[in-house]
Amino acid sequence: AVSMEPLDLIQCGESAPNSTALTRDSRLLAVACDSGAISLYNERVDGSFESTHILPPIVSGAEDPAAMSVSWDATSRRFAVGSQDGYVRVWDVRSLQTPQMVLRSVQPGAKGAVRCVKFSRSLVNSLIAFSEHVSFVHIA
């Protein structure tokens, strides 16, 4: 059996982390939290990670804004966050003021909650797929 020692241990504050994603080069880390906040980290020279940005939860009128899933695109410039409120928000690390794109599940309430979001690995044709809690998978 192969044993792996942790390179770093990150304390995520008061909110439970639901999903993590590293860029292809492993230099950026995104953490999706129960509070709906997204924490971004940069790799230091020694291999540990330091917090660089915390995006606060976006209140959409839903009772539960929990961020459930996060994924980086192949360029490592954009990341997508799927939330309990049924939205997928795509952010560009070069401009974190507002999402670059917003996608919505087709079902209202808990059935439309986003469970998993993934970018394709292609540098040529960047697709995004996400699943709802019940019945549907979207590809955009």
Side-chain angles (χ1 to χ4, degrees):
V2 176
S3 175
M4 292 182 67
E5 294 296 320
L7 296 174
D8 198 3
L9 184 62
I10 296 170
Q11 178 68 38
C12 292
E14 300 297 317
S15 185
N18 288 323
S19 179
T20 61
L22 286 163
T23 55
R24 288 171 64 139
D25 63 4
S26 299
R27 298 189 68 177
L28 297 171
L29 170 70
V31 179
C33 301
D34 242 5
S35 67
I38 306 301
S39 298
L40 298 177
Y41 299 85
N42 282 344
E43 182 186 30
R44 293 182 181 136
V45 175
D46 67 0
S48 65
F49 284 83
E50 66 180 331
S51 177
T52 57
H53 291 89
I54 297 177
L55 299 173
I58 293 179
V59 179
S60 64
E63 291 179 25
D64 188 358
M68 302 303 292
S69 183
V70 62
S71 178
W72 288 94
D73 77 351
T75 68
S76 301
R77 289 189 200 127
R78 297 183 309 156
F79 61 95
V81 178
S83 300
Q84 187 76 8
D85 63 5
Y87 287 93
V88 171
R89 294 171 181 91
V90 178
W91 299 87
D92 188 313
V93 294
R94 298 165 295 182
S95 176
L96 294 169
Q97 288 78 25
T98 59
Q100 183 183 45
M101 177 178 22
V102 178
L103 304 168
R104 175 79 168 106
S105 60
V106 296
Q107 299 181 94
K111 287 185 177 184
V114 176
R115 289 291 173 244
C116 186
V117 61
K118 295 288 182 188
F119 269 105
S120 65
R121 289 309 206 181
S122 172
L123 289 167
V124 178
N125 187 18
S126 183
L127 296 175
I128 189 169
F130 71 93
S131 60
E132 294 186 18
H133 180 59
V134 178
S135 300
F136 294 101
V137 172
H138 301 253
I139 300 172

